[in-house]
Amino acid sequence: MGCALSGPSVSPDLAVSEEKRTPSQDGGLDFKTDLEHGGDEEPKQPFLLSEAQKELIQASWEILHKDIARVGVIVFIRLFETHPECKDVFFLFRDIDDFQQLKMSKELQAHGLRVMSFIEKSVARLNQEDKLQQLAFELGRSHCRYQAPPKYYEYIGTQFIQAVQPILKEDWTPEAEKAWENLFKYLTAMMRRGFYTEETTRASLSLHARKPAVESTPNRI
Ligand code: HEM
């Protein structure tokens, strides 16, 4: 059984019972391991946002936050237009081909808002890197359960950046763009790590579940 929007998936219950793992237990920002897993293009080095970049992000969020419902819808409509394969990941949207209908969909609006609320939480944690890391890592683990593969994550940052430019107007600068790009690179790298950690956990759990019980041989002495 899967989640409401993504359709059939592996049972979420498996993950609930297992011990909570952290990004650092799983190697933190080791981009090399991610490359081995997915083969997707990775940042060459872990990034740390400079103080100036954090401030730029916070300043643009001050302006943006009242428009997040609209931005959320734009991001997903553009994502589905440019990468229709992403729409197929969503159980509720995969059969809707009319983009006007999608734009008006309450479910899409709610989903866009959930994703934007996550960005809001991330912005609020720019000075608490451990918390930010954990947040994105856990989101990656849940995306494994949604069967949403990491190769698509970076599209969200691209669409977000395009969607907010017209809202921020002259407040959108090359420096602000770079800061947001770095934030999304960081979030998607951590989500990727969470995804692969969850995938490995699930694979080993299902392997254990399939192993036949070893019959005990009666002691003949
Ligand atoms: C930076 C990239 C992304 C972010 C920040 C993000 C964020 C989120 C958030 C906050 C949720 C709400 C549920 C939760 O908290 O676990 C969610 C759900 C979900 N996301 Fe993403 N997401 C991203 C990329 C993607 C992509 C690219 C896809 C598909 C191609 C995707 C597919 C899904 C699906 C299927 C769900 C479950 C919906 C549901 O059952 O309500 N996500 N995402």
Side-chain angles (χ1 to χ4, degrees), residues 65-220:
H65 79 273
K66 49 187 184 308
D67 282 312
I68 53 172
R70 185 155 64 98
V71 173
V73 172
I74 298 172
V75 165
F76 276 91
I77 291 292
R78 289 196 182 167
L79 174 74
F80 297 159
E81 278 172 349
T82 52
H83 299 92
E85 67 276 21
C86 290
K87 190 155 74 69
D88 295 338
V89 177
F90 293 87
F91 180 64
L92 278 182
F93 310 140
R94 63 171 69 132
D95 295 325
I96 307 178
D97 293 325
D98 179 350
F99 277 83
Q100 276 313 319
Q101 191 188 336
L102 256 184
K103 250 184 222 170
M104 304 313 289
S105 148
K106 289 269 167 280
E107 287 82 9
L108 186 79
Q109 289 167 13
H111 183 68
L113 208 51
R114 275 207 294 275
V115 175
M116 288 304 115
S117 303
F118 173 84
I119 303 300
E120 183 159 50
K121 270 192 211 160
S122 305
V123 173
R125 285 161 182 71
L126 286 178
N127 292 315
Q128 298 162 285
E129 216 177 303
D130 283 0
K131 286 193 180 164
L132 182 58
Q133 188 170 314
Q134 188 67 41
L135 196 69
F137 180 80
E138 289 302 330
L139 188 65
R141 292 183 67 184
S142 58
H143 277 67
C144 181
R145 303 194 281 274
Y146 304 148
Q147 298 186 337
K151 64 181 174 190
Y152 299 143
Y153 300 165
E154 68 191 68
Y155 302 154
I156 297 286
T158 310
Q159 297 308 332
F160 175 87
I161 283 172
Q162 286 183 16
V164 301
Q165 282 180 26
I167 299 173
L168 287 166
K169 299 189 185 99
E170 66 277 4
D171 289 304
W172 188 257
T173 60
E175 292 76 24
E177 181 161 334
K178 186 74 198 154
W180 278 101
E181 270 174 19
N182 280 2
L183 177 59
F184 274 101
K185 266 186 201 162
Y186 181 78
L187 295 177
T188 54
M190 285 318 303
M191 283 176 70
R192 225 175 265 258
R193 179 157 301 288
F195 179 98
Y196 290 124
T197 300
E198 181 70 10
E199 191 178 60
T200 308
T201 307
R202 281 168 177 261
S204 86
L205 281 177
S206 73
L207 209 68
H208 285 307
R210 266 189 272 135
K211 256 194 193 159
V214 181
E215 275 176 39
S216 61
T217 320
N219 191 343
R220 291 173 196 276

